[in-house]
């Protein structure tokens, strides 16, 4: 997916939010915002948004001298999500259609995104859960079910810390014996890394690998050769979050994207309103509205 002029506004806002988080020095805030403005003036809009996002956060880590400036926030997100797990597991077990319930709750976890909002509270997460239980989920569910039935080797591309705890509910429904979870290869924003997967207990459930990249998405050219081989050999890929959609939406693979539409650019790209909960394939045809 290509970037747009509207993405530039988001880049600058995200850079300022992140700069304020890593430093109290207003001169640092000005420095990073001015750098981002210079980069966006020269950027190739044919590139997906995670390309510039990667560059911004590499610079922020260098300025702050902190390899993982979002570490405390990620740990807090994991703790908040883990506190909800007993009730969420009961909801999945009690649901007439456990797969659908797990899909809904995995989508609820997609609210934990520091690239969109600089603060996430327990109330925000609970609100996302409540909304996910009633919000229509748009997408080709029948095709997804068929793909699941036929798959032997599923690669699950995780998105954010905290969110991956919600993902566990879905992975349990997919059949953990055929699932491998992939996380980022190095810290970027609040995206999940191996450390977060361990905190979520995912490594006790399925094999967990990293993609070798510090981009807030899956830029295949930037990923390790080992990850690319795993990506190419998967029967089915499930990719969480907008960053993975932005970077893989034109990939010619058997991929299903699972995300909440959080901005006008994505809304325009998929032809759906902001706030929609989406199950999508790389080439979206006429939207399929299924109230489940």
């Amino acid at each position: 997916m290509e970037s747009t002029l509207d993405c530039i506004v988001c880049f600058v806002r995200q850079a300022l939010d992140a700069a304020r988080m890593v430093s109290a020095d207003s001169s640092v805030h000005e420095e990073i915002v001015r750098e981002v403005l210079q980069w966006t003036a020269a950027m190739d809009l044919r590139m997906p948004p995670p390309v510039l996002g990667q560059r911004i956060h590499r610079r922020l880590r260098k300025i702050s001298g902190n390899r993982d400036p979002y570490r405390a926030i990620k740990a807090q997100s994991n703790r908040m999500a883990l506190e909800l797990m007993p009730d969420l597991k009961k909801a999945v077990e009690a649901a007439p259609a456990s797969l659908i319930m797990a899909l809904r709750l995995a989508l609820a976890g997609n609210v934990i995104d520091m690239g969109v909002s600089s603060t996430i509270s327990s109330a925000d997460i609970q609100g996302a859960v409540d909304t996910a239980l009633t919000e229509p989920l748009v997408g080709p569910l029948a095709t997804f079910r068929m793909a699941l039935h036929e798959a032997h080797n599923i690669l699950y591309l995780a998105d954010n810390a905290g969110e991956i705890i919600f993902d566990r509910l879905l992975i349990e429904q997919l059949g953990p014996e055929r699932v491998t979870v992939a996380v980022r290869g190095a810290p970027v924003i609040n995206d999940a890394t191996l450390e977060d997967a361990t905190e979520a207990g995912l490594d006790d459930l399925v094999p967990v690998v990293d993609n070798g990249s510090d981009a807030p998405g899956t830029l295949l050219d930037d990923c390790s050769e080992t990850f690319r081989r795993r990506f190419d050999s998967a029967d089915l890929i499930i990719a969480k979050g907008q960053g993975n959609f932005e970077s893989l939406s034109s990939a010619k693979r058997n991929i299903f994207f699972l995300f909440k539409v959080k901005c006008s650019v994505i809304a325009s790209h998929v032809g759906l309103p902001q706030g929609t909960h989406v199950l999508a394939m790389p080439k979206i045809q006429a939207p399929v509205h299924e109230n489940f």
Side-chain angles (χ1 to χ4, degrees):
M1 174 184 159
E2 296 182 350
S3 299
T4 71
L5 293 175
D6 289 302
C7 293
I8 292 175
V9 178
C10 187
F11 290 142
V12 175
R13 189 269 312 157
Q14 185 183 128
L16 180 56
D17 284 349
R20 284 172 171 164
M21 191 191 73
V22 303
S23 173
D25 187 343
S26 60
S27 66
V28 170
H29 307 161
E30 180 178 353
E31 177 186 353
I32 190 63
V33 169
R34 287 187 179 277
E35 284 191 14
V36 170
L37 288 170
Q38 290 173 351
W39 295 343
T40 55
M43 75 176 290
D44 184 349
L45 290 177
R46 293 171 297 181
M47 302 299 291
V51 171
L52 187 56
Q54 179 186 49
R55 185 173 182 180
I56 290 170
H57 287 279
R58 281 180 176 174
R59 182 66 176 134
L60 283 166
R61 291 195 297 273
K62 184 175 181 179
I63 288 174
S64 67
N66 187 340
R67 176 180 176 274
D68 190 358
Y70 289 79
R71 181 65 253 159
I73 293 174
K74 292 194 292 182
Q76 180 185 27
S77 297
N78 287 334
R79 287 193 300 272
M80 289 190 296
L82 283 168
E83 289 174 0
L84 296 174
M85 279 301 290
D87 289 339
L88 299 181
K89 286 180 72 71
K90 289 178 184 177
V92 173
E93 292 167 358
S98 55
L99 175 63
I100 303 305
M101 178 61 76
L103 273 170
R104 288 184 174 280
L105 293 174
L107 271 164
N110 193 226
V111 73
I112 308 173
D113 185 350
M114 299 301 165
V116 174
S117 175
S118 57
T119 58
I120 300 291
S121 68
S122 295
D124 293 328
I125 297 175
Q126 185 60 61
V129 170
D130 295 340
T131 299
L133 297 181
T134 57
E135 180 74 19
L137 176 55
V138 178
L141 179 61
T143 304
F144 181 65
R145 286 187 184 276
M146 184 177 297
L148 287 180
H149 178 73
E150 296 174 349
H152 299 285
N153 178 10
I154 301 172
L155 181 62
Y156 195 104
L157 306 183
D159 189 19
N160 298 314
E163 180 178 351
I164 59 170
I165 292 164
F166 288 78
D167 292 333
R168 179 175 181 133
L169 298 166
L170 178 54
I171 292 165
E172 289 171 346
Q173 295 299 313
L174 300 177
E177 68 281 355
R178 57 180 179 162
V179 176
T180 298
V181 171
V183 295
R184 306 296 186 235
V188 57
I189 322 182
N190 67 318
D191 290 27
T193 60
L194 289 173
E195 184 175 355
D196 299 299
T198 298
E199 290 181 5
L202 277 178
D203 56 337
D204 293 329
L205 181 68
V206 294
V208 181
V209 300
D210 74 69
N211 67 6
S213 169
D214 64 346
T218 304
L219 303 173
L220 289 173
D221 290 345
D222 194 58
C223 292
S224 67
E225 182 178 348
T226 299
F227 172 80
R228 290 198 300 269
R229 285 199 300 267
R230 192 177 291 272
F231 184 91
D232 290 338
S233 65
D235 300 326
L236 173 64
I237 299 166
I238 298 173
K240 283 294 299 296
Q242 283 194 172
N244 282 326
F245 179 76
E246 290 166 347
S247 47
L248 294 172
S249 59
S250 61
K252 294 179 173 62
R253 292 303 317 281
N254 190 21
I255 305 180
F256 285 85
F257 300 97
L258 193 60
F259 61 93
K260 179 178 180 178
V261 178
K262 299 173 185 172
C263 73
S264 60
V265 173
I266 297 293
S268 176
H269 191 81
V270 301
L272 295 165
Q274 282 185 240
T276 305
H277 291 184
V278 179
L279 173 69
M281 299 179 72
K283 290 186 179 293
I284 298 178
Q285 306 299 325
V288 178
H289 293 265
E290 301 185 28
N291 294 313
F292 55 86

